[in-house]
Amino acid sequence: SGQGKENFTVNEPVIMRPLDKTGTITLFSVKFGRDNFWSGWQDRSYRGEMEINTAAQRLNIINQVTLEEYLYGVVPSEMPASWPLEALKAQAVAARSEAMRKLGRHKKGGFDFCPEVHCQVYSGVEQETLVTNQAVNETKGMIMVYAGKPVDAVYSSNCGGHTQDNIFGDAVDIPYLRGRLDILEANEGKFPL
């Protein structure tokens, strides 16, 4: 405890907890959009606990939340909350599948996911809405699987009318990642420009 002291020193990770389970922790001037033209700084509030530690001469702040709480912050950060509930539910399943497939992606750094596009955008509670939380709750535990394992449910904000085969990462042939036209069958072959 630092109460009554101007400064105090610790030599181990510090855990910050809200006073009750509905409380949040606000971090000021959080950098987002690393290396993108739309990057910036924003105050953000988060559910769960915060672990603060040092590694490689840096201060690390790790938000510890359940998978479903994580998705509360991901779904509205990756898809407009104004979209239909069924679309939001599909996004929740895709985001959960992606998280399960890439769990421990940043294990060397001592955490599972970064809050950026590299993993999935996670913006905290300010982005949450009742309908996006409903989509997460109504699909709780649902993931997509292939050959008994969570799929690599990669998605993008815009495919330009045609998705791609798996050409990234190790460029391994993944049967469920096949490029296809992004149009209705009735318009097949008539790509609107």
Side-chain angles (χ1 to χ4, degrees), residues 35-193:
D35 301 328
N36 289 291
F37 73 92
W38 44 265
S39 67
W41 300 84
Q42 185 179 51
D43 297 345
R44 291 188 173 174
S45 297
Y46 300 93
R47 295 173 176 270
E49 299 178 351
M50 293 289 177
E51 177 185 319
I52 303 167
N53 64 49
T54 57
Q57 305 297 321
R58 293 178 40 161
L59 184 67
N60 287 328
I61 302 175
I62 301 169
N63 187 201
Q64 298 175 348
V65 291
T66 67
L67 177 59
E68 303 306 308
E69 290 171 330
Y70 170 69
L71 293 174
Y72 289 156
V74 168
V75 172
S77 299
E78 291 284 2
M79 176 181 272
S82 61
W83 285 18
L85 177 61
E86 292 304 312
L88 295 169
K89 288 165 69 174
Q91 178 65 38
V93 172
R96 187 180 294 106
S97 302
E98 183 76 356
M100 293 300 295
R101 176 66 180 231
K102 294 182 176 165
L103 194 63
R105 188 175 205 184
H106 291 278
K107 187 176 183 177
K108 288 182 181 177
F111 54 95
D112 290 310
F113 308 111
C114 67
E116 301 287 343
V117 174
H118 175 257
C119 290
Q120 295 185 93
V121 178
Y122 172 66
S123 302
V125 299
E126 280 91 3
Q127 293 297 317
E128 291 181 22
T129 69
L130 292 175
V131 71
T132 55
N133 286 0
Q134 177 184 352
V136 171
N137 292 337
E138 289 186 11
T139 61
K140 184 174 182 173
M142 291 183 190
I143 62 170
M144 296 179 285
V145 296
Y146 180 80
K149 295 181 181 176
V151 302
D152 191 4
V154 293
Y155 52 86
S156 64
S157 61
N158 187 335
C159 69
H162 198 291
T163 62
Q164 296 180 343
D165 289 344
N166 180 46
I167 62 169
F168 299 104
D170 297 331
V172 174
D173 183 33
I174 301 175
Y176 59 82
L177 290 179
R178 295 279 185 254
R180 61 186 309 159
L181 280 171
D182 186 19
I183 58 176
L184 298 175
E185 286 184 31
N187 294 331
E188 196 76 42
K190 301 176 187 170
F191 188 71
L193 299 176

